[in-house]
Amino acid sequence: MRAEGKCLCGHVEFSAEIDPDKVIICHCSDCQRHAATAFGVVVGVVDEQFELTTGSMKTYVKTADSGTKRALTFCPECGTRIYSKTVGEGTSFMGLRVGTLERRAELTPKMQVFCRSAVPWLDQLPDFPTHEGSPGEAEVRSDKG
């Protein structure tokens, strides 16, 4: 499936051939920290068919607890994460961040990984109050304490 995407500020735009059967939710602590949320969601890029069409990116190489080196790319202007890729020979999985894609609603996750690191409240999500838009400052602000 051909997919187009961009960063938050629009400095980075790209297209890629992705495999919709390779959408993964990752609960590893690195994804949690790098995404500044509970998990990361990536989709596999087919044969590294990724084309940067506008802008430039920065790369940070992170060594995982396993010793594996991961190249994490992001927009140098707004910091939006674009993809991650294992560094080295014989490694081909490239995980494109689903949130950057125009057609992200079509990409249903097929697997969850590093579940041992998952935050314990995820299974309670259906019980949380929902709002179609912002609930307003008064509802989210805590006046306690």
Side-chain angles (χ1 to χ4, degrees), residues 41-93:
V41 183
V42 298
V43 61
V45 175
V46 177
D47 299 324
E48 298 185 31
Q49 292 184 31
F50 175 90
E51 179 186 4
L52 183 64
T53 56
T54 303
S56 61
M57 295 189 292
K58 288 193 76 158
T59 300
Y60 171 73
V61 177
K62 167 70 168 97
T63 302
D65 291 340
S66 66
T68 301
K69 293 188 183 305
R70 298 284 294 161
L72 311 173
T73 65
F74 56 96
C75 171
E77 300 299 320
C78 67
T80 301
R81 302 178 323 146
I82 306 298
Y83 69 79
S84 60
K85 180 181 182 322
T86 302
V87 177
E89 294 288 324
T91 58
S92 61
F93 185 77

Side-chain angles (χ1 to χ4, degrees), residues 15-138:
S15 65
E17 189 66 32
I18 61 170
D19 184 345
D21 290 328
K22 300 243 188 295
V23 180
I24 299 168
I25 294 173
C26 182
H27 295 282
C28 80
S29 57
D30 285 344
C31 278
Q32 290 171 349
R33 185 161 287 120
H34 196 229
T37 190
F39 52 82
V41 183
V42 298
V43 61
V45 175
V46 177
D47 299 324
E48 298 185 31
Q49 292 184 31
F50 175 90
E51 179 186 4
L52 183 64
T53 56
T54 303
S56 61
M57 295 189 292
K58 288 193 76 158
T59 300
Y60 171 73
V61 177
K62 167 70 168 97
T63 302
D65 291 340
S66 66
T68 301
K69 293 188 183 305
R70 298 284 294 161
L72 311 173
T73 65
F74 56 96
C75 171
E77 300 299 320
C78 67
T80 301
R81 302 178 323 146
I82 306 298
Y83 69 79
S84 60
K85 180 181 182 322
T86 302
V87 177
E89 294 288 324
T91 58
S92 61
F93 185 77
M94 186 174 179
L96 188 58
R97 302 300 167 178
V98 169
T100 63
L101 299 173
E102 298 299 327
R103 296 170 59 187
R104 60 188 163 269
E106 299 174 36
L107 299 169
T108 303
K110 305 289 192 272
M111 180 188 315
Q112 298 184 67
V113 297
F114 292 100
C115 293
R116 67 179 174 260
S117 304
V119 294
W121 48 260
L122 278 177
D123 60 347
Q124 299 170 35
L125 231 56
D127 300 330
F128 296 167
T130 61
H131 302 271
E132 291 297 315
S134 175
E137 184 179 339

